[in-house]
Amino acid sequence: MRVVIEKMGINGEGIGYINRKPVFVEGVLIKEEADIEITANNKTYAVGKVKKIVKTSEHRVKPKCKIQGRCGACPLMITDYEDQCAVKEANLKQALIKYAHVNPRLIKKIIPSENVFNYRNQLKLPFSMNEERELVTGMYQPNSNYFNEIDHCVIHDQDLEQTRKAVLKVLNDYRCRSYDYHQKKGFRSLIIRMIDGRSQITLVTGEEELPASMIEAIMQIKGVVSLWQSVNTIKKTPEIFGPKMVLLAGERTLDIRMDDLKLQLSPRSFFQLNTLQAKRLYSTAKGLLKEHYGLIVEAYSGVGGISLYLKDKADEIIGIESIKDAVVNANANAKLNHADNVSFICADAADKLTYLSKKREIDLLVVDPPRSGLDDAMLETILRSKIREIVYISCNPATLGKNLDILLDRYEVKVVQPVDMFPNTAHVESITLLVRK
């Protein structure tokens, strides 16, 4: 069966139509023609698998990664970077028009990433055993239990990759094994965050004590300043980190710089994965704001990066975050940066915002929620409040569009600025400025 690809989906798949029914096909681009095999045929859509590409896009390139087609993390690596940006702009526009009827003229041209490869400052990869019974890291193929060993990732910072390989060598020198759910022992995941040549490593394991000599060997790896063990014996959990965190050696936090800002990160703390683009994201958000505010509140504030970046924009800034470790980091970061007007509270974002909006006049709300977007409680709180402006930083066009559809009852969109944080992937970050009607 032959299909012509007419647009791209939000997950980086091509979309064509057969008898007016959309068919989702991985590994194809707009204007390409492909012979496909239908693998799933539902009432409203079908899924196809490429057998042969008959007509090739002028934008198609050979992917730099040899497992790109199996890994699933970088579906846009098959097209040139200019086209990647065009795809992401189009997907953002389609979502905001579809769900919230946003005027497309309000959506600006995407800010491209300076680095298309080797930009990612953190990895979180599961362990497995290869045929030689060596411990390896990799990724599971989407919607399957098939494990793909990663020999070299072109998305990772080069120093990050070297550190990953060096850690694996140490673990294999000590004949370490992947996690056994029955014995509750072994290695589950490797987490490394590396910024400015300094790395923080977390080994997610079962219930076991790691040899002192092995800990010392890992600490001898170039750039390693912090080594943690996270004990996680929960059988089925989306959480990578376990409830127990142990500092094995080195510093408790990873200290980084963003322009004039100093930040301390603990292993659980969220920080943008593309350091250079994070600076552009924050500075772009700051550039959308007026001269000065009385009170700014940031929900989902993490380690406080955005709040501290905006510290000279308000008399007072209050950050709300539900993860205790991040709040501890954030308040330490406020002290580190002499930001006496910035403080952070550990609480549910909607509950605390409800309380604050009743007691105080909030000039600006900054939200940077997870991919699931703002929940119903948060949306209701915002609509009931008299918050004057909102800066909504989103990593998911679909949930952004659905949230805006509700918020537009009280607010109007002034501008939407997409930022490409993750080249080669289908993800696109955006900043939306809303003003109360």
Side-chain angles (χ1 to χ4, degrees):
M1 188 173 291
R2 185 164 295 183
V3 67
V4 178
I5 303 304
E6 297 185 18
K7 61 181 182 179
M8 300 294 285
I10 60 170
N11 297 313
E13 72 278 57
I15 302 175
Y17 293 86
I18 296 176
N19 298 325
R20 297 185 178 180
K21 181 188 284 190
V23 183
F24 296 85
V25 187
E26 292 182 0
V28 286
L29 301 170
I30 295 174
K31 295 183 180 179
E32 290 191 331
E33 290 183 36
D35 288 335
I36 65 169
E37 175 188 348
I38 299 296
T39 57
N41 200 353
N42 299 302
K43 201 170 185 179
T44 56
Y45 71 94
V47 178
K49 183 179 180 181
V50 174
K51 294 173 71 177
K52 182 183 178 182
I53 296 176
V54 180
K55 183 180 177 183
T56 303
S57 167
E58 62 182 1
H59 296 289
R60 180 175 280 274
V61 296
K62 183 179 179 181
K64 285 192 174 184
C65 174
K66 63 183 180 182
I67 63 165
Q68 182 272 336
R70 302 197 307 272
C71 169
C74 300
L76 296 185
M77 198 182 284
I78 60 174
T79 189
D80 62 54
Y81 188 56
E82 184 179 354
D83 189 49
Q84 289 185 31
C85 289
V87 166
K88 295 184 183 192
E89 275 185 39
N91 283 345
L92 180 63
K93 285 181 180 178
Q94 286 171 22
L96 299 194
I97 293 169
K98 175 182 177 181
Y99 294 113
H101 308 291
V102 172
N103 184 341
R105 292 181 180 178
L106 298 175
I107 304 170
K108 303 299 181 183
K109 190 171 181 63
I110 195 168
I111 298 174
S113 176
E114 185 173 322
N115 297 322
V116 180
F117 297 97
N118 305 122
Y119 62 81
R120 190 180 172 106
N121 61 35
Q122 187 182 44
L123 62 83
K124 294 181 179 179
L125 297 175
F127 286 108
S128 186
M129 305 299 292
N130 64 12
E131 293 179 355
E132 287 75 37
R133 302 302 296 162
E134 292 177 326
L135 198 63
V136 296
T137 51
M139 290 182 69
Y140 287 95
Q141 205 160 307
N143 306 313
S144 78
N145 290 320
Y146 184 81
F147 184 87
N148 286 300
E149 178 185 347
I150 293 177
D151 177 56
H152 181 79
C153 180
V154 296
I155 296 302
H156 293 161
D157 176 281
Q158 289 182 337
D159 290 337
L160 181 68
E161 266 297 277
Q162 292 303 314
T163 303
R164 177 184 70 87
K165 293 173 182 178
V167 171
L168 278 174
K169 183 179 185 308
V170 172
L171 296 182
N172 281 308
D173 286 345
Y174 281 81
R175 300 186 181 278
C176 297
R177 294 290 179 262
S178 59
Y179 187 70
D180 186 307
Y181 286 93
H182 299 292
Q183 296 182 4
K184 294 187 177 181
K185 288 188 180 294
F187 289 73
R188 294 186 75 161
S189 296
L190 174 63
I191 302 163
I192 308 175
R193 177 184 273 144
M194 172 166 274
I195 298 175
D196 297 329
R198 304 171 79 248
S199 62
Q200 179 186 69
I201 298 172
T202 304
L203 300 170
V204 183
T205 70
E207 298 169 339
E208 56 214 284
E209 187 173 335
L210 304 185
S213 57
M214 188 177 85
I215 294 170
E216 178 61 26
I218 292 175
M219 290 301 297
Q220 291 300 315
I221 295 170
K222 183 181 177 182
V224 175
V225 297
S226 176
L227 178 60
W228 288 78
Q229 180 182 8
S230 178
V231 179
N232 187 356
T233 58
I234 302 171
K235 190 168 185 180
K236 290 185 178 179
T237 174
E239 292 293 327
I240 296 177
F241 291 101
K244 183 180 178 182
M245 296 288 294
V246 181
L247 178 64
L248 298 175
E251 303 168 11
R252 294 196 68 83
T253 60
L254 181 65
D255 299 347
I256 69 167
R257 274 195 163 288
M258 278 190 62
D259 295 333
D260 295 329
L261 202 62
K262 301 174 185 175
L263 295 175
Q264 295 180 333
L265 308 177
S266 64
R268 290 177 184 268
S269 299
F270 170 78
F271 184 72
Q272 294 287 353
L273 299 172
N274 185 332
T275 310
L276 285 176
Q277 284 299 86
K279 295 177 184 179
R280 290 186 179 182
L281 181 78
Y282 293 173
S283 62
T284 301
K286 188 175 183 177
L288 296 178
L289 305 181
K290 65 183 186 184
E291 196 63 32
H292 201 78
Y293 297 85
L295 175 62
I296 295 176
V297 174
E298 183 192 359
Y300 320 100
S301 55
V303 296
I306 299 174
S307 289
L308 292 169
Y309 208 88
L310 300 178
K311 64 184 167 101
D312 60 346
K313 279 287 186 179
D315 295 332
E316 183 181 4
I317 300 177
I318 299 172
I320 309 168
E321 172 59 56
S322 61
I323 298 174
K324 187 177 179 180
D325 285 0
V327 175
V328 172
N329 273 172
N331 281 312
N333 288 332
K335 189 174 181 180
L336 189 67
N337 289 277
H338 309 290
D340 298 332
N341 63 327
V342 184
S343 61
F344 299 91
I345 302 166
C346 187
D348 175 79
D351 288 348
K352 198 63 184 180
L353 185 62
T354 299
Y355 173 81
L356 288 172
S357 62
K358 289 177 180 177
K359 298 288 184 180
R360 306 281 302 274
E361 196 170 282
I362 301 173
D363 297 301
L364 172 69
L365 173 67
V366 179
V367 292
D368 186 3
R371 286 187 60 78
S372 54
L374 303 175
D375 60 24
D376 292 342
M378 177 58 90
L379 290 167
E380 288 173 18
T381 295
I382 294 171
L383 292 176
R384 286 198 306 265
S385 74
K386 293 182 180 179
I387 297 167
R388 294 174 185 174
E389 296 179 23
I390 301 171
V391 167
Y392 188 144
I393 299 173
S394 167
C395 58
N396 187 335
T399 54
L400 172 64
K402 292 172 184 177
N403 285 170
L404 290 182
D405 184 43
I406 295 169
L407 292 173
L408 288 177
D409 188 47
R410 293 281 187 275
Y411 293 84
E412 62 177 320
V413 173
K414 288 296 183 182
V415 65
V416 182
Q417 177 62 69
V419 181
D420 188 21
M421 300 289 289
F422 313 110
N424 302 297
T425 77
H427 301 302
V428 58
E429 204 97 357
S430 62
I431 308 164
T432 302
L433 176 64
L434 299 109
V435 176
R436 194 167 182 86
K437 292 178 182 177

